[in-house]
Amino acid sequence: MNERILISGASIAGQTLAYWLVRHGFRPTLVERAPRPRAGGNGVDVRGHAIDVAERMGIMPQIRTMAADVRGMSFVNAANRSVARIDAQAMRSGGDDVEIMRGDLVALLYEATKDDVEYVFGDSIRTLEQSGDGVTVSFEHGPARRFDLVIGADGMHSTVRRLAFGPESRFIQYKGHYFAFSNADSALGENRWVTMYNVPGKMAGIYRSGNHSQAKAYFIFRRSEPLTYDHRDVEQHKRLVSEAFAGESWRVRELLTGALADPDFYFDALSQVRMPSWSSGRVALVGDAAYCASPASGAGAELALVGAYRLAGELAAAAGDHQVAFRRYEDGHRELVDQKQKIGPNVRLMVPKTRTGRWVRDTMARLPLMRAMATVERIMAPKNTAPLPDYTRDHLIREPQLVTADRARSLFPRCDRAAS
């Protein structure tokens, strides 16, 4: 039945996959390079079929309770005076969408899986050796082990993808921008708003949810050619962002000071992962490792939740036959991935290339035209009309746990909320 399944990466896709594999009778092991579930991250959207997945997991009520209640975006000048605002409801794809901080969603998923899944923190895969009946895996620290299948849920810079499919240069498409986010002093931003300051080709901003005591700083800058750097060298990342925003006005200096002191500082290229196939023998990929749509799409959590649900379900429906299951997983999920990788106007909205572009953006934001355009875009966008397969009818082995928001918060004190 291919019961023993190793999953690399304990973020949204990996933990969702582990959750459903257990409930279909498999025995997943989840290895994560970090010493614990990662508490940081930006806001992510749970929408479309991802809502269905979260409902079936029993965690959607908690997601709504822990939602980031941001009202919209406020564009400011160097004197911190708001020159235009966009209501968040004008840009949302539907009334049921929920935005939640990535760390909060990871906490919920960890609480839902920790009693059923073998977690190995502080380690990572070093080599994979496939044969006809399994995969021998060596690790950076632990002893080698044998598994029936290996699933890479380890992000855009996936180690599993590199080992099983080839160098990432074959699959990553650079989209002309770099971005970073970190913790920020909440006093620098307006409560319940994303405050953005632009100069041509750059954006610095503060994300401040009313449900969170911790604000987030955002930095985005354009660059026509990709930089050369080590994607694991955080100190190098901080230098690159400092150089890109050196001498800028508004509150950039204060934001950079906080960012450089944040151990959870995150930096990467705005890129997409595009692959002709998401499986190779007994190895498959899910989430950003297979089909990162980039943060500009706002679809990372949606693709991760739905993709993981489908992959686990197809393995159950095929009684563990990975060749059948991997093919059906891709056939069922590819259309949604293709839709979400068609990035809309988000980058142009956040990072106008010129002063004229910034003026046009601000002018449109002050007019009802922006809401009308967003409404038309929602109407014209492809809809996921076909319901998700109900794999659980024949294969569910235990009822999902209900996770309380208070319990999830207790796992990660850094994600505590401000008093409402």
Side-chain angles (χ1 to χ4, degrees):
M1 183 182 173
N2 289 329
E3 292 183 356
R4 299 165 301 165
I5 301 177
L6 176 66
I7 305 168
S8 176
S11 191
I12 298 171
Q15 293 193 116
T16 303
L17 178 62
Y19 176 96
W20 287 110
L21 286 175
V22 165
R23 278 144 189 84
H24 292 311
F26 297 92
R27 292 186 291 154
T29 296
L30 212 161
V31 61
E32 165 58 48
R33 180 184 299 275
R36 64 188 63 85
R38 299 176 189 268
N42 55 329
V44 298
D45 292 321
V46 179
R47 61 188 182 193
H49 282 330
I51 295 175
D52 299 332
V53 174
E55 293 281 9
R56 296 176 190 187
M57 296 175 74
I59 62 172
M60 197 62 210
Q62 289 71 38
I63 289 175
R64 295 192 187 282
T65 298
M66 301 172 76
D69 62 340
V70 172
R71 293 176 178 172
M73 294 179 286
S74 175
F75 304 105
V76 299
N77 59 21
N80 201 41
R81 183 175 65 86
S82 180
V83 296
R85 291 186 181 236
I86 297 177
D87 185 336
Q89 295 305 314
M91 306 303 293
R92 290 197 182 279
S93 61
D96 294 331
D97 295 5
V98 180
E99 184 178 22
I100 182 173
M101 302 309 292
R102 177 179 290 274
D104 290 344
L105 181 54
V106 168
L108 285 171
L109 293 169
Y110 179 65
E111 177 66 9
T113 54
K114 66 183 181 64
D115 294 332
D116 302 318
V117 175
E118 178 192 7
Y119 276 85
V120 180
F121 288 109
D123 209 346
S124 59
I125 295 173
R126 185 166 63 88
T127 63
L128 300 172
E129 184 177 344
Q130 296 195 56
S131 64
D133 61 353
V135 187
T136 300
V137 182
S138 70
F139 297 90
E140 295 292 340
H141 304 293
R145 295 174 62 179
R146 184 79 169 168
F147 296 91
D148 297 315
L149 304 172
V150 174
I151 309 297
D154 44 352
M156 185 170 71
H157 301 292
S158 169
T159 296
V160 173
R161 188 186 61 228
R162 174 175 56 81
L163 293 173
F165 295 83
E168 68 176 39
S169 58
R170 292 172 51 188
F171 309 112
I172 291 184
Q173 296 185 6
Y174 173 61
K175 296 299 180 180
H177 295 75
Y178 284 88
F179 71 97
F181 54 82
S182 66
N183 288 333
D185 182 354
S186 60
L188 298 176
E190 183 179 358
N191 190 34
R192 298 185 66 188
W193 287 87
V194 182
T195 306
M196 295 185 182
Y197 171 71
N198 290 104
V199 294
K202 300 178 187 180
M203 184 277 283
I206 309 170
Y207 180 108
R208 188 178 171 196
S209 164
N211 285 339
H212 297 73
S213 59
Q214 180 64 67
K216 296 289 182 180
Y218 287 81
F219 304 91
I220 303 177
F221 62 92
R222 289 177 178 266
R223 183 179 170 88
S224 57
E225 297 296 328
L227 295 164
T228 300
Y229 63 95
D230 181 350
H231 72 267
R232 291 203 177 105
D233 187 343
V234 177
E235 293 306 313
Q236 183 184 27
H237 303 168
K238 291 178 178 180
R239 289 195 299 271
L240 291 171
V241 174
S242 296
E243 292 168 1
F245 286 86
E248 299 297 349
S249 55
W250 185 55
R251 295 175 169 175
V252 172
R253 180 179 297 178
E254 294 97 318
L255 290 177
L256 282 174
T257 298
L260 299 181
D262 182 8
D264 291 327
F265 179 91
Y266 183 87
F267 169 84
D268 212 334
L270 196 68
S271 300
Q272 292 185 334
V273 174
R274 292 178 176 263
M275 303 184 68
S277 175
W278 304 330
S279 65
S280 175
R282 291 179 169 270
V283 178
L285 304 172
V286 67
D288 282 355
Y291 34 77
C292 175
S294 90
S297 72
E302 179 182 6
L303 293 177
L305 285 161
V306 177
Y309 172 82
R310 281 189 176 274
L311 177 53
E314 294 298 349
L315 281 167
D321 185 331
H322 63 284
Q323 294 179 323
V324 173
F326 290 168
R327 184 179 69 251
R328 289 176 177 170
Y329 152 61
E330 183 164 341
D331 289 344
H333 196 46
R334 178 72 73 170
E335 181 179 2
L336 180 63
V337 169
D338 290 345
Q339 290 176 11
K340 299 304 178 180
Q341 287 191 328
K342 297 174 182 177
I343 298 176
N346 291 353
V347 177
R348 295 191 299 275
L349 181 71
M350 292 188 294
V351 195
K353 190 174 182 178
T354 64
R355 288 185 174 84
T356 299
R358 183 180 61 187
W359 177 86
V360 170
R361 188 272 315 275
D362 294 345
T363 301
M364 292 177 63
R366 289 192 290 266
L367 299 173
L369 179 62
M370 185 70 77
R371 181 181 292 272
M373 290 175 61
T375 301
V376 171
E377 185 174 347
R378 286 199 300 271
I379 294 172
M380 298 300 293
K383 300 297 190 297
N384 301 320
T385 54
L388 279 178
D390 186 4
Y391 303 108
T392 63
R393 285 184 298 180
D394 298 323
H395 301 283
L396 187 65
I397 63 172
R398 63 168 64 92
E399 289 298 319
Q401 302 178 48
L402 290 179
V403 184
T404 66
D406 287 341
R407 173 60 179 152
R409 291 168 186 152
S410 72
L411 294 170
F412 301 104
R414 295 186 61 185
C415 297
D416 61 340
R417 303 302 177 278
S420 55

